[in-house]
Structures are given as structure tokens and as C-alpha cells.
Amino acid sequence: MEVTQWHLINTFSEYKKVISSLQTEVDAIALLGVFNMKDQDNKDIDFTDILKWTAENSQLPDFAFWESRVDLGTLVAVAISAYQQGYIAGEMARKILVDGVSPIDIPISSSEKGEPMVSLARAKALGIPIDVELLLNTKTKKQYQWNK
């Protein structure tokens, strides 16, 4: 994968223009910060509205790193595993409480394994067939949150 463009967007109207222009320029979109955008009156736009607009107006596959984004129309994500983060925190706590290690001596670490997920509704809307083998190891979302 090659990143060809990076956009720092502040307003929802600017976001709409950028997403619309990308339709003929790129193969996919990473949705990494679709929050803190303002409307024409400088009021915050809820990121759920932004993602719904994206699902309804973009024909590009998109991805993110949060499970909630897939519920809200993003095609795929490899989400942070809460289980693995908890496991790592437990190991750190054991070092502190049982082994007597000072917290400052425990290096910061992050989880290495994410949880893959796919929106079947978005895949269908984009005309992307999902391989059966992929479904065996992937959490699926069958419909958009706003259709539940």
C-alpha cells in the first residue's frame, strides 16, 4: 500500500469536497480522524454523520482502526484488540505487584494483534465480493448502525 495523499480537514463541507475529488484519484481511503469537524456555523459535526455521509456518497473502499467505524459504514478495520490490551496490562500489573518491578522500569508496549472486521453491507454496496475463507477469521457487521 502506498499513501499518495494526506488531508487535514477541519470542516464537513471541506471533507465532502475532498472525498468527492478522491473518487477518481485513489483506490481506497483511510479514515483516521473523522471527528472534530465543524459545520458552516462552527458547530461540531458528530462523526457518525460524517461516516454515514461517506458510506452513502463514496464508491471507494475505506478502512479504519476502530470497530465502531465498521458499524457506521466503513468497509474494513483491523481494530485494537481489547482482550490483548487487557492481557498486556495484566502482565504489567503482575510485574509490579508480584515481582516488585517499579512501573518506570516496565517498557511501554502495544498490542500486536488486531481484530479484523468487515461490513458486509458496505461490501455489497461497493460490489466487492467477500471471500468465504476471509469470513471464517473475521468479525462481520451485517448492516449499518442506522438501519438497526
Side-chain angles (χ1 to χ4, degrees), residues 15-26:
Y15 177 84
K16 289 177 181 180
K17 287 177 189 173
V18 169
I19 295 299
S20 296
S21 71
L22 292 176
Q23 300 301 301
T24 57
E25 295 180 16
V26 299

Side-chain angles (χ1 to χ4, degrees), residues 77-96:
V78 177
I80 296 166
S81 169
Y83 173 82
Q84 190 171 35
Q85 285 188 324
Y87 186 84
I88 292 169
E91 287 181 327
M92 291 177 176
R94 184 181 195 317
K95 286 179 184 177
I96 295 166

Side-chain angles (χ1 to χ4, degrees), residues 42-146:
N42 205 35
K43 293 185 181 173
D44 289 332
I45 301 287
D46 191 303
F47 79 94
T48 60
D49 295 329
I50 297 167
L51 292 174
K52 182 179 180 185
W53 182 91
T54 305
E56 292 174 342
N57 293 279
S58 175
Q59 290 302 306
L60 292 171
D62 43 17
F63 67 93
F65 298 106
W66 301 274
E67 179 174 358
S68 64
R69 303 314 198 259
V70 177
D71 281 326
L72 296 168
T74 301
L75 176 63
V76 295
V78 177
I80 296 166
S81 169
Y83 173 82
Q84 190 171 35
Q85 285 188 324
Y87 186 84
I88 292 169
E91 287 181 327
M92 291 177 176
R94 184 181 195 317
K95 286 179 184 177
I96 295 166
L97 299 171
V98 176
D99 301 335
V101 176
S102 173
I104 199 154
D105 293 328
I106 299 173
I108 295 173
S109 65
S110 59
S111 55
E112 294 178 12
K113 184 178 179 184
E115 184 175 11
M117 52 194 58
V118 62
S119 167
L120 298 178
R122 181 80 167 131
K124 183 178 179 181
L126 294 172
I128 299 174
I130 303 297
D131 186 271
V132 173
E133 287 185 39
L134 177 71
L135 294 176
L136 294 174
N137 298 307
T138 304
K139 190 174 189 177
T140 60
K141 304 293 183 162
K142 295 181 179 153
Q143 58 186 341
Y144 302 122
Q145 182 176 331
W146 60 85

